[in-house]
Amino acid sequence: MIEKLQTLWPEITLFIAACAVMIVGLSGTRSIRALCTPICGLALLIATFLSLGGLGGVDITVTGPLPVLASYGKAMVGVIGVILLLLIPGVVDREFDAAPGGPGEAPQPPRAFEAIRSNTAEFHAFFLFSLMGLMLCAGADDLIWLFLALELTSLPTYVMVTISTARNRSLEAGVKYFFLGALGAAIFLYGFALIYGGTGSTNLEAVHASIVAQADAGGINSITMAGFVMAIIGLCFKIAAVPMHFYTPDVYQGAAAPVAAFLAFVPKSAGFFAIMLLTATLGWSFGASGTELPGPVHSALYIIAVLTMTVGNVLAILQNSIKRILAYSSIAHSGYMLVGIIAGPGGGGGADSTLSRNGLSAVWFYLVCYGVMNVGAFAVVASLERRRADGTHDEIDSVADLRGLCASRPLLGWTMVISAAGLLGLPPLLGFFGKLPLFTSGVGAGHYLLVIILGINSAIAAYYYLRLAAAPLLESRDPAESVGGEIVESPYRLRTAAGLISAVGVVALALGLGGPLGSAATSVGQSGFAPSYVGRRAADRSPAVIPAAAHTVDDEPRDVEPAADGSVDGATIESDGGPPDARFDHAR
Amino acid sequence: MNLALLIAIPLVFAFAVALSRPAQARLLATIGTLLPVALYIVQALGFPWLRGETDFYNTDAIDLFPSLGVRLSLNADTVSMLLIGLTVLLGPICVIGSYTAVQDRLKTYYGWLLVLQAAMTGVFAARDAVLFFVFFEFTLVPMYILISLYGSTNRKAAATKFFLYTFTGSVIMLAGLAYIAWVSATRTGEWSFDLTTLTVASSEYLSNREQAWVFGALMLGFAVKVPLFPLHTWLPLAHTEAPTAGSVILAGVLLKLGTYGMYKFVLPMCPEAALAYAPLVAVVSIIGILYAGLICWVQTDVKKLVAYSSVSHLGFCVLGLFSMTSIGLTGSLLYMINHGLSTGALFLLIGMMYERYHTRSMKELGGLAARMPVWATFMVFFVMSSVGLPGLNGFVSELYCLLGTFQAGDEWAHHPTRAGLGGPLGPWFAAVAAVGMIVGAMYLLYMVGKVVWGPLVEPHGHGAHAHGHRHSAGAPASAPSDAHAHLPADLTPREIGILLPLAALCIFLGVYPRPVLKALEGPTQQMVESLHMHTRGSLQTPWPVGAPPPPRPAHTAPAATDPHDVPANQHPADEPPAAPASGGAGAGSAQEAGH
């Protein structure tokens, strides 16, 4: 119990901070209320520091399907959480701030503070709770824990969507999000229950042991399998993947841009952490080549991935609203990441242990990249407001509103250009280096068709990302268009700062500073299961088709020529590259 | 290090342009492109042109993304050095050529032109597949911006089509490269995208079927760029809409990225598949040569005509590459340079004409020799060079390409695997392709006859206008306000100045191509030998994992055995796998034996 608690210091920090902002946010003094943001930021930074093991380095004594995910997953949440936090000021309680007058506009006197009408405290606390849930997901080792963590991630977001603007569409979005979210939760909870029924345990390690035993005894029983498939379909809601994606554009559009940015990253990461843990529990030692997930799960993920990429990208082409484009593209990016899940961590040992081959590492890496790039795009939307004639403000919505931004507001304009080009996967920006391991891991696992579909989808995505990049850079604003009101910069300059941090990250992480991130990703994908589990079934198979040599399975026998000792090259790989099931040697 | 400078200088100046005032952009861009020329000349003087394929600058590669095996490594061999030369030369010509043509958003224009210059140099210098891909893709961005900001009426659609076509092709190419990298990683235990490693892995470890797939993926990426016949539709559109400098760079260098990729990636990485599919590629190229030639014939837009002629001409280039003979490869590489020079110049000339008349339609223009004798002289000269008039550069390369195609049958006649594969090209291919030369002469001469000779036809109301503004030849053409009105009827010294170096090179390469041919001899022969070596795949022995990649067999290695005596599938099984090089070297010298 005590050991378990020790791994939870980051979450505990966030919890304490959340309690603190609940009190501070209710203060009648504006300057004290304004402390909410620094408190949250400090808590997130401390949590990041603690999740990396404090001064002692990453602690790897944790067991479970993906032991290092607990550390780096939480650290990633902390860091990107800070950038997301910069977008938060001004989302709620604007009427109590003195600031809303933009440049050239006389500041309106703030309304008298009414604690009952204020949302600052709740909003910041929910923000932290949600991130806390996401951190708990990363460290989950039990199905019950996982379920509670997922719900802790999601429940605050329903409220955040609803209170993010005073308009009815936020209310609508919140209700829609809540009901569909409850449906998704019900489905994956049902799946978890079936897994428990099929394996007799909720502990992921025990579930894994049971699955290995079942597989050795002739096959995984259908209840377990149905449980995993249902769990994954339910989690599709969190990651906004195809059968459960319908809410995404409406909710993103209805929520304020900072909250939409939050939705695009936090629940998606929670869903991917959960899927990574579940699939790692199953293991990639099934299928004809012994390197796939069990048949039904593999097929389900394959179909979901293809549909998600394609639907997301094709529908994004048809949109005119920036937030809807980003919403559909968020769907598409989930599809890309599923390729890494399908590819799995490789056979183990040698070349397989790097980011290039390990699909799970690639997924984590892509989550970080996506998080960084996506915040930039949403930050630009959040930083621009349309000021109506009656003095009210509204977010910009249409792509046309971005026209000429590079000329009028270079920082915001270039942030948008770089974010869009990064999301498009244009080399040499971060999105390209994020996609590269998805490519290589997919190819390494032998899913060529999937990789081609991924490639073609990246090209389809180029169409709408080019629109997002071209509007600020290449088009000029027609003065006659500003019918709905003049477009001004938001008074909350932290949002611009968030965009800038993101843009700098997209460039700097790609050009030289991404090395540590890559190493972290490499270790995230390593399995923590005892050697007797992982890869055992693969090792049982004939040496010619062990994972590392899987690509020669259906080739002409040209390469496989008996050497002097009678072994084929596949067997040599096994002996030279270390046993494929060698436990990951954690480097500190 | 000097190669890095060639890339860095334009980039630094691009940033300088971005930070400067618009009035200085032109000057900064000129310096930023002229400096690399000077640097290049210094380097070229010290470059071992005759030493052959070996990369010259042993710069230490920097790890860019260690966990992905991506390294920042630059190097140059004879071929890349020549193409870098072409890129560097066209840089200042494009900048100076745009002095009057571009009048607004100068910073954006010159800034991106410089970025484009850096990216193109990078493509030819990159020795890491991912780095190559990064540069290859990044050329799209400046080009997209140049077309969509400075193009003519339909520019948005043209730019988008250009971007999407190339992007789609290259993403699939990346999948092919990833596959090779994965095979290489399983063999060596280390992820690397180093070109040499990939070439070894691909040519030695891939089975025929794998090679065929990888070949398809790589070819798709490069064929879009070249462009080969069914994938060429983006090119005329992009050319027609692009500003003059854009067209010059597009035709001069960007299309060469495709053929360079075929030379550097497709042939060495998939030799078996290249031999098997050579006839297919050749047929597609020949269709392109003839079909695009016939389209040219019915064009009325001069620029579109030259754009389609690029499709036709690059067909010869691809044909030469896939002849897989030393002569064909030499011709093809030379063709890349020559096409860059003469077509680049033609686009410049058309741009100069357009600046004066604001039309490119052959219906509205005619007999311009009477109005612009200097322009007409250059026009006829470069058309002749493009047609392939003996004595000018086009002739040598076209002849070599066809000759190589013709001889391909002899070169590969004794090849043991020939029966099972598609087989080499031969006289028939050359004969049909040669018709393309005639077609080429027809449409280009027809265009010259219409536009340059014949009765003077000018757009309605233009004649008086031009006369009214006729200046002395020395008048500064860069007056900021309405420069078009101040352009003299004939070329200015500035315009002549940028055409002269191109013309001089055309004459030099036509009259005395020997130095370049000599320099290309080494690399192409080495390439052909390596192709011969690696199309005997059944002689390969698998390597144990962990062993270093086998040394590239030197082509001077003595022949261990006559490979014709060893049937392909009866390689002695007791030969230790650690000595694969001897089999390879034996196979390599077989080509000499076969001659």
Side-chain angles (χ1 to χ4, degrees), chain A residues 229-315:
Chain A
V229 172
M230 283 196 78
I232 285 169
I233 290 175
L235 287 168
C236 282
F237 173 81
K238 304 277 179 217
I239 65 170
V242 145
M244 314 280 284
H245 69 288
F246 294 101
Y247 73 91
T248 323
D250 292 346
V251 171
Y252 283 25
Q253 199 180 19
V259 176
F262 190 83
L263 292 184
F265 178 70
V266 175
K268 188 189 289 284
S269 299
F272 269 106
F273 287 167
I275 291 181
M276 282 161 80
L277 291 169
L278 288 177
T279 47
T281 303
L282 276 172
W284 282 260
S285 44
F286 303 86
S289 58
T291 56
E292 284 175 6
L293 287 165
V297 175
H298 175 79
S299 315
L301 279 173
Y302 202 107
I303 295 166
I304 291 172
V306 171
L307 286 180
T308 305
M309 285 189 254
T310 315
V311 167
N313 278 322
V314 170
L315 291 183

Side-chain angles (χ1 to χ4, degrees), chain B residues 345-437:
Chain B
L346 282 180
F347 277 118
L348 278 175
L349 284 162
I350 290 166
M352 292 167 187
M353 180 192 82
Y354 183 77
E355 268 186 77
R356 287 167 172 78
Y357 291 103
H358 299 282
T359 178
R360 298 183 304 243
S361 167
M362 280 156 69
K363 287 181 183 141
E364 296 179 55
L365 294 165
L368 295 183
R371 185 72 73 215
M372 308 198 285
V374 182
W375 179 86
T377 313
F378 276 112
M379 190 73 185
V380 174
F381 175 85
F382 284 113
V383 161
M384 288 306 163
S385 138
S386 195
V387 165
L389 186 76
L392 290 176
N393 57 348
F395 172 71
V396 186
S397 41
E398 221 158 63
L399 186 69
Y400 264 54
C401 283
L402 290 176
L403 218 54
T405 313
F406 202 89
Q407 292 179 352
D410 295 337
E411 173 89 34
W412 294 89
H414 304 295
H415 194 268
T417 55
R418 186 189 162 186
L421 295 168
L425 312 185
W428 278 109
F429 290 93
V432 181
V435 176
M437 290 182 79

Side-chain angles (χ1 to χ4, degrees), chain B residues 63-419:
Chain B
D63 275 336
L64 191 62
F65 240 106
S67 43
L68 293 174
V70 178
R71 289 156 69 82
L72 197 65
S73 67
L74 303 172
N75 224 324
D77 57 23
T78 319
V79 175
S80 20
M81 202 60 188
L82 275 176
L83 287 165
I84 290 174
L86 177 69
T87 313
V88 165
L89 171 74
L90 287 179
I93 288 177
C94 286
V95 169
I96 299 173
S98 309
Y99 275 6
T100 50
V102 178
Q103 296 294 333
D104 55 340
R105 303 187 77 161
L106 292 179
K107 280 166 66 172
T108 318
Y109 182 82
Y110 288 110
W112 286 109
L113 211 54
L114 286 164
V115 171
L116 183 57
Q117 182 79 1
M120 291 186 307
T121 315
V123 174
F124 294 126
R127 282 298 175 273
D128 181 284
V130 171
L131 191 65
F132 171 89
F133 188 81
V134 166
F135 283 126
F136 188 83
E137 288 285 87
F138 200 70
T139 56
L140 296 184
V141 178
M143 204 61 209
Y144 173 81
I145 291 170
L146 289 182
I147 295 178
S148 59
L149 271 189
Y150 303 93
S152 31
T153 42
N154 201 13
R155 56 184 190 261
K156 283 270 159 54
T160 308
K161 193 171 183 184
F162 159 75
F163 193 101
L164 291 182
Y165 258 68
T166 323
F167 195 82
T168 313
S170 35
V171 174
I172 292 176
M173 174 180 100
L174 183 67
L177 289 175
Y179 185 80
I180 302 176
W182 150 246
V183 170
S184 162
T186 49
R187 297 289 180 140
T188 62
E190 194 182 331
W191 276 90
S192 166
F193 284 94
D194 182 66
L195 269 194
T196 324
T197 317
L198 288 194
T199 310
V200 172
S202 178
S203 57
E204 311 212 344
Y205 306 141
L206 292 192
S207 69
N208 286 355
R209 194 178 136 192
E210 287 171 303
Q211 271 199 14
W213 281 103
V214 170
F215 176 83
L218 296 184
M219 273 304 277
L220 193 64
F222 294 126
V224 170
K225 200 86 179 179
V226 167
L228 281 183
F229 159 60
L231 306 170
H232 67 281
T233 50
W234 62 270
L235 182 79
L237 195 59
H239 261 313
T240 326
E241 302 301 326
T244 300
S247 288
V248 173
I249 288 186
L250 193 56
V253 185
L254 282 184
L255 304 189
K256 310 307 180 300
L257 301 188
T259 44
Y260 174 76
M262 288 180 190
Y263 173 81
K264 201 77 194 171
F265 287 75
V266 176
L267 288 185
M269 286 184 186
C270 318
E272 299 264 19
L275 188 63
Y277 294 111
L280 179 69
V281 178
V283 165
V284 170
S285 312
I286 291 172
I287 293 177
I289 293 174
L290 298 177
Y291 172 70
L294 292 176
I295 293 179
C296 285
W297 207 2
V298 296
Q299 288 307 313
T300 53
D301 183 332
V302 187
K303 200 171 184 186
K304 218 169 192 170
L305 188 149
V306 179
Y308 271 111
S309 86
S310 284
V311 180
S312 178
H313 282 152
L314 283 169
F316 285 108
C317 199
V318 176
L319 198 62
L321 284 178
F322 277 84
S323 74
M324 303 208 268
T325 57
S326 177
I327 291 184
L329 288 172
T330 310
S332 181
L333 293 167
L334 193 58
Y335 209 129
M336 295 182 203
I337 309 285
N338 288 336
H339 180 261
L341 296 175
S342 42
T343 308
L346 282 180
F347 277 118
L348 278 175
L349 284 162
I350 290 166
M352 292 167 187
M353 180 192 82
Y354 183 77
E355 268 186 77
R356 287 167 172 78
Y357 291 103
H358 299 282
T359 178
R360 298 183 304 243
S361 167
M362 280 156 69
K363 287 181 183 141
E364 296 179 55
L365 294 165
L368 295 183
R371 185 72 73 215
M372 308 198 285
V374 182
W375 179 86
T377 313
F378 276 112
M379 190 73 185
V380 174
F381 175 85
F382 284 113
V383 161
M384 288 306 163
S385 138
S386 195
V387 165
L389 186 76
L392 290 176
N393 57 348
F395 172 71
V396 186
S397 41
E398 221 158 63
L399 186 69
Y400 264 54
C401 283
L402 290 176
L403 218 54
T405 313
F406 202 89
Q407 292 179 352
D410 295 337
E411 173 89 34
W412 294 89
H414 304 295
H415 194 268
T417 55
R418 186 189 162 186

